[in-house]
Amino acid sequence: MTTRENRPLAAGVAVALFLLAAAVFWPARRNGYYQIDDGLYVLVNDRVREGLRWRGVAWAFTSVGYASNWHPLTWLSHMADVDLHGLDPAGHHQTSVLLHAAVSALLFLALRALTGATWPAAAVGALHAVHPLRVESVAWISERKDLLAGLFWMAGLLAWARYVRRPAPWRYVAVAACHALGLLSKPTMVTFPLALLLLDWWPLGRLHGRDGALRRALAEKAPLLALSLAGGLMTLWAQGTAVVPLADMSLAGRAATGLRALAHYVRTAAWPSGLAAYYPLDAGAGIAAPLAVLATAAAATALAWIARRRAPWLAMGWAWFLVTLLPMAGLVQAGWQAAADRYMYIPLAGPFVAAAWSLAAVPAGRARACAALALVPVAASLVPMTRAQIGYWRDSEVLLRRTLEVTRRNWFAHLQLGRLLAGRQRLDEAEIQLREALAIYPDAPEGHRALGLLRLQQGRADEAVASLRRAVDGRPGAAGMWHDLATALAATGRHAEAAAAFRRAVELEPETAAFWWGLQGELALAGREPEARQVIAAALRRFPGLARLHADAGVLAARAGDLEEARREFEGALELDPGDENTRRNLARLLANPRLREKHGEEP
């Protein structure tokens, strides 16, 4: 059957897959923000909180390195959500659910267009729609980038199928546009041209029986590969200090970690139990397990190659899995996680294709019907597991405690749980968790940072300064750590030192308004008010819509005797935040000043 036949059936299947994915993941709307990254991405991101504005669009494309990434389209998506839903997490989760549903439907349509087979493509779409390994990408607001990249990836596959059927420049431009938009969403798109090359081999058959076919196919992909190269370089630049240096983790160690992760992914794809929000590296693990995984993977590759003529989908599915997983294999290690469920959003389509087309290859008759029906209980068994995993993501404490249940020596989960408990004023419980984290990883800058902030809450500012200095020493390029050290120094009354720490934070991350606000405040407290006014003027040029900056600018202007400027700033602050009673009182006192009244011809 060709893809042109029975289009109503294809449309109906696509709609059914969309509704299936939306129904399974709809409970995610009840979830809140997650402890990790959701603040950086939405809650305390001043540009995102403003919604879609021209200055926000400019920031999205120029903020290389914020949150250790460069994904402007992802930022624009979050800004649009703020315009639509404000900061209510339900709306943000709803957008993620609908995007995932669209990806599932597009995957089916793309595979059908590439192969001409409706029901195997539908099976792949259904497995993608309901598999528990999808939960992290959908239920974590910060992973919107997975869904956007997935959307453009599948749209690119559909565009490629149409280009191959009827080559035309504008059809190729459509493929390139999908690739570029995907790269602007998440760098995982760098392997997209290689995936197209695999599809050229099977099912498209464009590399068979023709001299120079591979060379022509590579030349055809050259513009896409150039886009991937540019996207990869931007990612390396953006990730900066997040990339683990070779001095801290050798190539052999990275390869061993990647092989362990491969075994983890195969296991959780087949039986997705014990899923966690964070899988810690096990630096002390031996070499035996990675070698066993390497031998098994080599055997699987050899078997797929041997069967390539009779069952080419097996080789293509396995190669798709390995190739698309390559950017997340750990050779360029960003962060200290050993694996992540979200990394499976694109690669898992390969094994799904291998399984679905293997069932379709069963000889016609009762055996094929039984094989096809076997997919129904498999997919149905995944739904309750997915729903349960969505439930763990409803609250950060629930998720972190679950992570500690299913992993061992997980210093990062202890750290995040400690931070969360401190934020909920459960300080004694928080200290237990933070000490546990530091017992596992004594040199963790993040652990000393969290302990320092806890000491501040406990009123032990001098101890807080000591912990935060150790954190800054371990991560001197982290602007947030300099901010926290400045806060602790301010609590001890060392305002000049606090101002210097705030200035360093501003230098490292000038697009965070809180750093500018802290700097001008500490300069004023240190008796350097003219300098504070210069700082706040520079901050207002960057953040003209922040009421608190206008209010403080008014206070500094009033102290300097510039009453007209003070009046303008107070009035500007109240226009932005009419409920600011403190600024309203300051303006009332200013207007009662005889000098200002005389200047405006009013009776004193």
Side-chain angles (χ1 to χ4, degrees), residues 439-517:
I440 298 169
Y441 184 8
D443 296 325
E446 295 84 357
H448 291 288
R449 179 189 190 183
L451 186 60
L453 293 175
L454 179 65
R455 292 290 182 249
L456 267 183
Q457 286 181 268
Q458 294 170 330
R460 297 153 66 177
D462 288 324
E463 294 176 57
V465 169
S467 291
L468 290 164
R469 283 199 189 282
R470 188 165 179 182
V472 165
D473 289 343
R475 194 67 55 79
M481 291 191 179
W482 284 101
H483 167 272
D484 296 340
L485 175 59
T487 303
L489 288 165
T492 66
R494 292 139 75 178
H495 300 297
E497 292 180 65
F502 271 124
R503 191 178 297 280
R504 183 59 182 145
V506 166
E507 291 169 356
L508 289 167
E509 203 171 284
E511 289 300 327
T512 299
F515 300 165
W516 290 88
W517 186 72

Coordinates of all heavy atoms in Angstrom, one line a residue, residues 439-517:
A439 N 29.0 13.7 52.6 CA 29.7 12.5 53.0 C 30.0 11.6 51.8 O 31.0 11.0 51.7 CB 28.9 11.7 54.0
I440 N 29.1 11.6 50.8 CA 29.3 10.9 49.5 C 30.3 11.6 48.6 O 31.2 11.0 48.0 CB 28.0 10.7 48.8 CG1 27.0 9.8 49.7 CG2 28.2 10.0 47.5 CD1 25.6 9.8 49.2
Y441 N 30.2 12.9 48.5 CA 31.0 13.7 47.6 C 31.5 15.0 48.4 O 30.9 16.0 48.3 CB 30.1 14.1 46.4 CG 30.8 14.9 45.3 CD1 32.2 15.1 45.3 CD2 30.1 15.4 44.3 CE1 32.8 15.8 44.3 CE2 30.7 16.1 43.2 CZ 32.1 16.3 43.3 OH 32.7 17.0 42.2
P442 N 32.6 14.8 49.1 CA 33.0 15.9 50.0 C 33.4 17.2 49.3 O 33.4 18.3 49.9 CB 34.2 15.3 50.8 CG 34.1 13.8 50.6 CD 33.4 13.6 49.3
D443 N 33.9 17.1 48.1 CA 34.4 18.3 47.4 C 33.3 19.0 46.5 O 33.6 19.9 45.7 CB 35.6 17.9 46.5 CG 36.7 17.5 47.4 OD1 36.9 18.0 48.5 OD2 37.5 16.6 46.9
A444 N 32.1 18.6 46.6 CA 31.0 19.1 45.8 C 30.8 20.6 46.0 O 30.3 20.9 47.1 CB 29.7 18.3 45.9
P445 N 31.1 21.5 45.1 CA 30.8 22.9 45.4 C 29.3 23.2 45.7 O 29.0 24.0 46.5 CB 31.2 23.6 44.0 CG 32.2 22.6 43.4 CD 31.7 21.3 43.8
E446 N 28.4 22.4 45.0 CA 27.0 22.6 45.2 C 26.6 22.2 46.6 O 25.7 22.8 47.2 CB 26.2 21.8 44.2 CG 26.4 22.3 42.7 CD 27.6 21.6 42.1 OE1 28.4 20.9 42.8 OE2 27.8 21.9 40.9
G447 N 27.3 21.2 47.2 CA 27.0 20.8 48.5 C 27.4 21.9 49.5 O 26.6 22.2 50.5
H448 N 28.6 22.5 49.3 CA 29.0 23.5 50.3 C 28.1 24.8 50.1 O 27.9 25.5 51.1 CB 30.5 23.8 50.0 CG 31.4 22.7 50.4 ND1 31.6 22.4 51.8 CD2 32.1 21.8 49.7 CE1 32.4 21.3 51.8 NE2 32.7 20.9 50.6
R449 N 27.7 25.0 48.9 CA 26.8 26.1 48.6 C 25.5 26.0 49.4 O 25.0 26.9 50.1 CB 26.5 26.3 47.2 CG 25.6 27.4 46.8 CD 25.1 27.3 45.3 NE 24.4 28.5 44.9 CZ 23.9 28.7 43.7 NH1 24.0 27.7 42.8 NH2 23.3 29.8 43.4
A450 N 24.9 24.8 49.3 CA 23.6 24.5 50.0 C 23.8 24.6 51.5 O 22.9 25.1 52.2 CB 23.1 23.2 49.5
L451 N 24.9 24.0 52.0 CA 25.2 24.1 53.4 C 25.3 25.5 53.9 O 24.9 25.9 55.0 CB 26.4 23.3 53.8 CG 26.7 23.1 55.3 CD1 25.5 22.4 56.0 CD2 27.9 22.3 55.5
G452 N 26.0 26.4 53.1 CA 26.2 27.8 53.4 C 24.9 28.5 53.5 O 24.6 29.3 54.4
L453 N 24.0 28.2 52.5 CA 22.7 28.9 52.6 C 21.9 28.4 53.8 O 21.1 29.2 54.4 CB 21.9 28.6 51.3 CG 22.6 29.3 50.0 CD1 21.8 28.8 48.8 CD2 22.5 30.8 50.1
L454 N 22.0 27.1 54.1 CA 21.3 26.6 55.3 C 21.8 27.3 56.6 O 21.1 27.7 57.5 CB 21.5 25.1 55.4 CG 20.9 24.5 56.6 CD1 19.3 24.6 56.6 CD2 21.3 23.0 56.7
R455 N 23.1 27.5 56.6 CA 23.7 28.2 57.8 C 23.2 29.7 57.9 O 22.9 30.2 59.0 CB 25.3 28.3 57.7 CG 25.9 26.9 57.8 CD 25.8 26.4 59.2 NE 26.5 25.1 59.4 CZ 25.8 24.0 59.6 NH1 24.5 24.0 59.7 NH2 26.5 22.9 59.8
L456 N 22.9 30.3 56.7 CA 22.3 31.6 56.8 C 20.9 31.6 57.4 O 20.6 32.4 58.2 CB 22.2 32.2 55.3 CG 23.4 33.1 54.8 CD1 23.0 33.6 53.4 CD2 23.6 34.2 55.8
Q457 N 20.2 30.6 57.0 CA 18.8 30.4 57.6 C 18.9 30.2 59.1 O 18.0 30.6 59.8 CB 18.1 29.3 56.9 CG 17.6 29.6 55.5 CD 16.9 28.4 54.9 OE1 17.4 27.5 54.2 NE2 15.6 28.3 55.1
Q458 N 19.9 29.5 59.5 CA 20.1 29.2 60.9 C 20.6 30.3 61.7 O 20.9 30.2 62.9 CB 20.9 27.9 61.1 CG 20.3 26.7 60.5 CD 21.3 25.5 60.5 OE1 22.5 25.7 60.3 NE2 20.8 24.3 60.6
G459 N 21.0 31.4 61.0 CA 21.5 32.6 61.7 C 23.0 32.5 62.0 O 23.6 33.2 62.8
R460 N 23.7 31.6 61.3 CA 25.1 31.3 61.5 C 25.9 31.9 60.3 O 26.5 31.2 59.5 CB 25.4 29.9 61.7 CG 24.7 29.3 63.0 CD 24.3 27.9 62.9 NE 25.5 27.0 62.9 CZ 25.4 25.7 62.9 NH1 24.2 25.1 62.9 NH2 26.5 24.9 62.9
A461 N 25.9 33.2 60.2 CA 26.4 33.9 59.0 C 27.9 33.7 58.7 O 28.3 33.5 57.6 CB 26.1 35.4 59.0
D462 N 28.7 33.7 59.8 CA 30.1 33.5 59.6 C 30.4 32.1 59.0 O 31.3 31.9 58.2 CB 30.9 33.7 60.9 CG 30.9 35.2 61.3 OD1 31.1 36.0 60.4 OD2 30.8 35.5 62.5
E463 N 29.7 31.1 59.6 CA 29.9 29.7 59.0 C 29.4 29.7 57.6 O 30.0 28.9 56.7 CB 29.2 28.7 59.9 CG 29.7 28.6 61.3 CD 28.9 27.6 62.1 OE1 28.7 26.5 61.7 OE2 28.4 28.0 63.2
A464 N 28.4 30.4 57.3 CA 27.8 30.5 55.9 C 28.9 31.0 55.0 O 29.1 30.5 53.9 CB 26.6 31.3 55.9
V465 N 29.6 32.1 55.4 CA 30.6 32.7 54.5 C 31.7 31.6 54.3 O 32.2 31.5 53.1 CB 31.2 33.9 55.2 CG1 32.4 34.4 54.5 CG2 30.1 35.1 55.2
A466 N 32.1 30.9 55.3 CA 33.2 29.9 55.1 C 32.7 28.8 54.1 O 33.5 28.5 53.2 CB 33.5 29.3 56.4
S467 N 31.5 28.3 54.2 CA 31.0 27.3 53.3 C 30.9 27.9 51.8 O 31.3 27.2 50.9 CB 29.7 26.8 53.7 OG 29.8 26.0 54.9
L468 N 30.4 29.1 51.7 CA 30.2 29.7 50.4 C 31.5 30.0 49.7 O 31.6 30.0 48.5 CB 29.2 30.8 50.5 CG 27.8 30.4 50.8 CD1 27.0 31.6 51.3 CD2 27.1 29.8 49.6
R469 N 32.5 30.4 50.5 CA 33.8 30.7 49.9 C 34.4 29.3 49.3 O 35.0 29.3 48.3 CB 34.8 31.2 51.0 CG 34.6 32.7 51.3 CD 35.8 33.3 51.9 NE 35.6 34.6 52.4 CZ 35.5 35.7 51.7 NH1 35.7 35.6 50.3 NH2 35.3 36.9 52.2
R470 N 34.2 28.2 50.0 CA 34.6 27.0 49.5 C 33.9 26.6 48.2 O 34.4 26.0 47.3 CB 34.4 25.9 50.6 CG 35.0 24.5 50.2 CD 35.1 23.6 51.4 NE 35.7 22.3 50.9 CZ 35.9 21.3 51.8 NH1 35.5 21.4 53.0 NH2 36.4 20.2 51.3
A471 N 32.6 26.9 48.2 CA 31.8 26.7 47.0 C 32.3 27.5 45.8 O 32.5 27.0 44.7 CB 30.3 27.0 47.2
V472 N 32.6 28.8 46.0 CA 33.1 29.7 45.0 C 34.5 29.2 44.5 O 34.8 29.2 43.3 CB 33.1 31.1 45.5 CG1 34.0 32.0 44.5 CG2 31.7 31.7 45.5
D473 N 35.3 28.7 45.4 CA 36.6 28.2 45.0 C 36.5 27.0 44.1 O 37.3 26.9 43.2 CB 37.4 27.8 46.3 CG 37.9 29.0 47.1 OD1 37.9 30.2 46.5 OD2 38.2 28.9 48.3
G474 N 35.5 26.2 44.3 CA 35.3 25.0 43.5 C 34.6 25.3 42.2 O 34.8 24.6 41.2
R475 N 33.9 26.4 42.1 CA 33.2 26.8 40.9 C 33.2 28.3 40.7 O 32.2 29.0 40.8 CB 31.7 26.3 41.0 CG 30.9 26.3 39.7 CD 31.4 25.3 38.7 NE 31.5 23.9 39.2 CZ 30.4 23.1 39.4 NH1 29.2 23.5 39.1 NH2 30.6 21.9 39.9
P476 N 34.4 28.8 40.3 CA 34.6 30.3 40.3 C 33.8 30.9 39.1 O 33.6 32.1 39.1 CB 36.1 30.5 40.1 CG 36.6 29.2 39.5 CD 35.7 28.1 40.1
G477 N 33.3 30.1 38.2 CA 32.6 30.7 37.0 C 31.1 30.7 37.2 O 30.3 31.0 36.3
A478 N 30.6 30.3 38.4 CA 29.2 30.2 38.7 C 28.7 31.5 39.3 O 29.0 31.8 40.5 CB 28.9 29.0 39.6
A479 N 27.9 32.3 38.5 CA 27.5 33.6 39.0 C 26.6 33.4 40.3 O 26.7 34.2 41.2 CB 26.7 34.3 37.9
G480 N 25.7 32.4 40.3 CA 24.8 32.2 41.4 C 25.6 32.0 42.7 O 25.1 32.5 43.8
M481 N 26.7 31.4 42.7 CA 27.5 31.1 43.9 C 28.1 32.4 44.4 O 28.2 32.7 45.6 CB 28.6 30.1 43.7 CG 28.0 28.7 43.4 SD 29.3 27.4 43.4 CE 28.3 25.9 43.2
W482 N 28.5 33.3 43.5 CA 29.0 34.6 43.9 C 27.9 35.4 44.6 O 28.1 36.2 45.5 CB 29.6 35.4 42.7 CG 30.9 34.9 42.3 CD1 31.2 34.0 41.3 CD2 32.2 35.2 43.0 NE1 32.6 33.8 41.3 CE2 33.2 34.5 42.3 CE3 32.5 36.0 44.1 CZ2 34.5 34.6 42.6 CZ3 33.9 36.1 44.4 CH2 34.9 35.4 43.7
H483 N 26.7 35.3 44.0 CA 25.5 36.0 44.6 C 25.3 35.5 46.0 O 25.0 36.3 46.9 CB 24.3 35.7 43.7 CG 23.0 36.1 44.4 ND1 22.3 35.2 45.2 CD2 22.3 37.3 44.3 CE1 21.2 35.8 45.6 NE2 21.1 37.1 45.1
D484 N 25.3 34.2 46.2 CA 25.1 33.7 47.6 C 26.2 34.1 48.5 O 25.9 34.4 49.7 CB 25.0 32.2 47.5 CG 23.8 31.7 46.7 OD1 22.9 32.5 46.5 OD2 23.8 30.5 46.2
L485 N 27.4 34.1 48.1 CA 28.5 34.6 49.0 C 28.3 36.0 49.3 O 28.5 36.4 50.5 CB 29.8 34.4 48.3 CG 31.1 34.9 49.0 CD1 31.2 34.3 50.4 CD2 32.3 34.7 48.2
A486 N 27.9 36.8 48.4 CA 27.6 38.3 48.6 C 26.5 38.4 49.7 O 26.6 39.3 50.6 CB 27.2 39.0 47.3
T487 N 25.5 37.6 49.6 CA 24.4 37.7 50.5 C 24.9 37.3 51.9 O 24.5 38.0 52.9 CB 23.3 36.7 50.1 OG1 22.8 37.0 48.8 CG2 22.1 36.8 51.1
A488 N 25.7 36.3 52.1 CA 26.3 35.9 53.4 C 27.2 37.0 53.9 O 27.1 37.4 55.1 CB 27.0 34.6 53.3
L489 N 28.0 37.6 53.1 CA 28.9 38.7 53.5 C 28.0 39.9 54.0 O 28.4 40.5 55.0 CB 29.8 39.1 52.4 CG 30.9 38.1 52.0 CD1 31.5 38.4 50.7 CD2 32.0 38.1 53.1
A490 N 27.0 40.2 53.3 CA 26.1 41.3 53.7 C 25.5 41.0 55.1 O 25.4 41.9 55.9 CB 25.0 41.5 52.7
A491 N 25.2 39.7 55.3 CA 24.6 39.4 56.6 C 25.6 39.6 57.8 O 25.2 39.8 58.9 CB 24.1 38.0 56.6
T492 N 26.9 39.6 57.5 CA 27.9 39.8 58.5 C 28.3 41.3 58.6 O 29.1 41.7 59.4 CB 29.2 39.0 58.2 OG1 29.8 39.5 57.0 CG2 28.8 37.5 58.1
G493 N 27.6 42.1 57.7 CA 27.9 43.6 57.8 C 29.1 44.0 56.9 O 29.6 45.1 57.0
R494 N 29.7 43.0 56.1 CA 30.9 43.4 55.3 C 30.4 43.8 53.9 O 30.5 43.1 52.9 CB 31.8 42.1 55.2 CG 32.4 41.8 56.6 CD 32.5 40.4 57.0 NE 33.5 39.6 56.2 CZ 33.7 38.3 56.4 NH1 33.0 37.6 57.3 NH2 34.7 37.7 55.8
H495 N 29.9 45.0 53.9 CA 29.2 45.5 52.7 C 30.1 45.7 51.5 O 29.7 45.5 50.3 CB 28.4 46.7 53.0 CG 27.3 46.5 54.0 ND1 26.3 45.6 53.9 CD2 27.2 47.0 55.3 CE1 25.5 45.6 55.0 NE2 26.1 46.5 55.9
A496 N 31.3 46.2 51.7 CA 32.2 46.4 50.6 C 32.6 45.1 50.0 O 32.7 44.9 48.8 CB 33.5 47.1 51.1
E497 N 32.9 44.0 50.8 CA 33.2 42.7 50.3 C 32.0 42.1 49.5 O 32.1 41.5 48.5 CB 33.6 41.8 51.4 CG 35.0 42.1 52.0 CD 35.3 41.1 53.1 OE1 35.5 39.9 52.8 OE2 35.4 41.5 54.3
A498 N 30.8 42.4 50.1 CA 29.6 41.9 49.5 C 29.4 42.5 48.1 O 29.0 41.9 47.1 CB 28.4 42.2 50.4
A499 N 29.7 43.9 48.0 CA 29.5 44.5 46.7 C 30.5 44.0 45.7 O 30.1 43.8 44.5 CB 29.8 46.0 46.9
A500 N 31.7 43.6 46.1 CA 32.7 43.0 45.2 C 32.2 41.7 44.7 O 32.4 41.3 43.5 CB 34.0 42.9 45.9
A501 N 31.6 40.9 45.6 CA 31.1 39.6 45.2 C 29.9 39.7 44.2 O 29.7 39.0 43.2 CB 30.7 38.7 46.4
F502 N 29.0 40.7 44.5 CA 27.9 41.0 43.6 C 28.4 41.4 42.2 O 27.8 41.1 41.2 CB 26.9 42.0 44.2 CG 25.8 41.5 45.1 CD1 25.7 41.9 46.4 CD2 25.0 40.5 44.6 CE1 24.7 41.4 47.2 CE2 23.9 40.0 45.4 CZ 23.8 40.5 46.7
R503 N 29.4 42.3 42.2 CA 30.0 42.7 41.0 C 30.5 41.6 40.1 O 30.3 41.6 38.9 CB 31.1 43.8 41.2 CG 31.5 44.5 39.9 CD 32.6 45.5 40.2 NE 32.1 46.6 41.1 CZ 31.4 47.6 40.7 NH1 31.0 47.7 39.4 NH2 31.0 48.5 41.6
R504 N 31.1 40.6 40.8 CA 31.6 39.4 40.0 C 30.4 38.7 39.4 O 30.5 38.2 38.3 CB 32.4 38.5 41.0 CG 33.0 37.3 40.3 CD 33.9 37.7 39.1 NE 34.5 36.6 38.4 CZ 34.7 36.5 37.1 NH1 34.5 37.6 36.4 NH2 35.2 35.5 36.6
A505 N 29.3 38.5 40.2 CA 28.1 37.9 39.7 C 27.6 38.6 38.5 O 27.2 38.0 37.5 CB 27.1 37.8 40.8
V506 N 27.6 39.9 38.5 CA 27.1 40.7 37.4 C 28.0 40.5 36.2 O 27.5 40.4 35.0 CB 27.0 42.2 37.8 CG1 26.8 43.1 36.5 CG2 25.8 42.4 38.7
E507 N 29.3 40.5 36.4 CA 30.2 40.3 35.3 C 30.0 38.9 34.6 O 30.1 38.8 33.4 CB 31.6 40.4 35.8 CG 32.1 41.8 36.2 CD 33.4 41.8 36.9 OE1 33.9 40.7 37.2 OE2 33.9 42.9 37.3
L508 N 29.7 37.9 35.4 CA 29.5 36.6 34.9 C 28.2 36.4 34.2 O 28.1 35.6 33.2 CB 29.7 35.5 36.0 CG 31.1 35.3 36.5 CD1 31.1 34.5 37.8 CD2 32.0 34.6 35.4
E509 N 27.2 37.1 34.7 CA 25.8 36.8 34.2 C 25.0 38.2 34.3 O 24.2 38.4 35.1 CB 25.1 35.8 35.1 CG 24.0 35.1 34.4 CD 23.5 33.9 35.2 OE1 24.2 32.9 35.2 OE2 22.4 34.0 35.9
P510 N 25.3 39.1 33.3 CA 24.7 40.4 33.4 C 23.2 40.4 33.1 O 22.5 41.5 33.3 CB 25.4 41.2 32.3 CG 26.0 40.1 31.4 CD 26.2 38.9 32.2
E511 N 22.6 39.3 32.7 CA 21.2 39.3 32.3 C 20.3 38.9 33.5 O 19.1 38.6 33.3 CB 20.9 38.4 31.1 CG 21.4 39.0 29.8 CD 20.8 40.4 29.5 OE1 19.6 40.6 29.8 OE2 21.5 41.3 28.9
T512 N 20.9 38.8 34.7 CA 20.1 38.5 35.9 C 19.9 39.7 36.7 O 20.9 40.3 37.3 CB 20.7 37.4 36.7 OG1 20.9 36.2 35.9 CG2 19.9 37.0 37.9
A513 N 18.7 40.2 36.8 CA 18.4 41.5 37.5 C 18.8 41.5 38.9 O 19.2 42.5 39.5 CB 17.0 41.9 37.3
A514 N 18.6 40.3 39.6 CA 18.8 40.2 41.0 C 20.3 40.6 41.4 O 20.5 41.1 42.5 CB 18.5 38.8 41.5
F515 N 21.2 40.3 40.5 CA 22.6 40.6 40.8 C 22.8 42.1 40.8 O 23.6 42.6 41.6 CB 23.5 39.9 39.8 CG 23.4 38.4 39.7 CD1 23.9 37.6 38.7 CD2 22.7 37.7 40.8 CE1 23.8 36.2 38.7 CE2 22.6 36.3 40.8 CZ 23.1 35.6 39.7
W516 N 22.3 42.8 39.8 CA 22.4 44.2 39.7 C 21.7 44.9 40.9 O 22.3 45.8 41.5 CB 21.7 44.8 38.5 CG 22.4 44.4 37.2 CD1 22.2 43.3 36.4 CD2 23.4 45.2 36.5 NE1 23.0 43.3 35.3 CE2 23.7 44.5 35.3 CE3 24.0 46.4 36.7 CZ2 24.6 45.0 34.4 CZ3 24.9 46.9 35.8 CH2 25.2 46.2 34.7
W517 N 20.6 44.4 41.3 CA 19.9 44.9 42.5 C 20.7 44.8 43.7 O 20.8 45.7 44.5 CB 18.5 44.2 42.6 CG 17.6 44.8 43.6 CD1 17.0 46.0 43.5 CD2 17.3 44.2 44.9 NE1 16.2 46.2 44.7 CE2 16.4 45.1 45.5 CE3 17.6 43.0 45.5 CZ2 15.8 44.9 46.7 CZ3 17.0 42.8 46.7 CH2 16.2 43.7 47.4

